[in-house]
Amino acid sequence: MQIVVLQGPNLNLLGRREPEIYGRETLDDIHRALATLASELSTPDEPVTLRCHQSNHEGALVDLVQAAASDGTDAFILNPGGYTHTSVALRDALIAVGLPFVEVHLSNVYAREAFRHRSLVADIAAGRIVGLGAQGYLLALRALVNRAAEAEPG
């Protein structure tokens, strides 16, 4: 199973940016924890591999989603950052590719400003995890691996 982790704008600043909201873990810390869990969830018959990307540019994220249609990607873990509330282009790319994804947000978006309550991708996501910090990514990975296992025949 190949999972692409897509991180939106400003997530490269994790650990420094408003740590009282987003925590002290860096993006590298999160990606390392995901890689460790992917290794633990792998079996000889079904390895779990990750590709992690972060971009502050909407078009770059759209390009990564579109590339997934033909590069063997099975699912996404997506934190669109600020594009959660604004990017019709990212939403359209996710619909076009049709791969399952879990939307993750470090903070509880519902306990913050009203504009953060609306996600343009929530209704097309396989699931959403908000407010659990970096643990949300690990839960998303487990959920996607379990979902794939349950979908396999036999």
Side-chain angles (χ1 to χ4, degrees):
M1 176 168 204
Q2 184 168 260
I3 297 174
V4 172
V5 181
L6 292 178
Q7 309 277 13
N10 298 313
L11 291 166
N12 56 308
L13 300 176
L14 287 178
R16 300 188 320 257
R17 176 186 175 215
E18 300 174 276
E20 67 282 359
I21 294 173
Y22 299 108
R24 300 210 177 275
E25 289 181 271
T26 66
L27 196 59
D28 285 341
D29 293 337
I30 291 169
H31 291 169
R32 274 193 299 276
L34 280 167
T36 298
L37 180 58
S39 179
E40 292 170 10
L41 295 174
S42 291
T43 66
D45 294 334
E46 189 63 48
V48 178
T49 61
L50 296 175
R51 291 193 337 262
C52 299
H53 304 278
Q54 185 278 328
S55 182
N56 294 319
H57 305 282
E58 182 179 28
L61 294 169
V62 169
D63 288 343
L64 288 164
V65 170
Q66 290 178 359
S70 60
D71 70 5
T73 298
D74 296 298
F76 297 104
I77 297 172
L78 172 66
N79 184 340
Y83 293 136
T84 303
H85 328 290
T86 63
S87 183
V88 173
L90 186 56
R91 174 190 171 83
D92 287 349
L94 289 161
I95 290 170
V97 170
L99 295 173
F101 70 93
V102 174
E103 180 184 357
V104 175
H105 296 281
L106 294 158
S107 69
N108 179 355
V109 294
Y110 300 106
R112 300 186 62 199
E113 304 93 337
F115 74 86
R116 295 186 193 276
H117 300 183
R118 181 165 179 244
S119 166
L120 295 182
V121 298
D123 64 315
I124 60 170
R128 295 184 81 208
I129 302 170
V130 302
L132 298 180
Q135 286 296 315
Y137 289 95
L138 302 177
L139 292 169
L141 178 57
R142 285 185 186 279
L144 289 169
V145 170
N146 289 341
R147 177 186 167 114
E150 290 170 359
E152 289 178 8

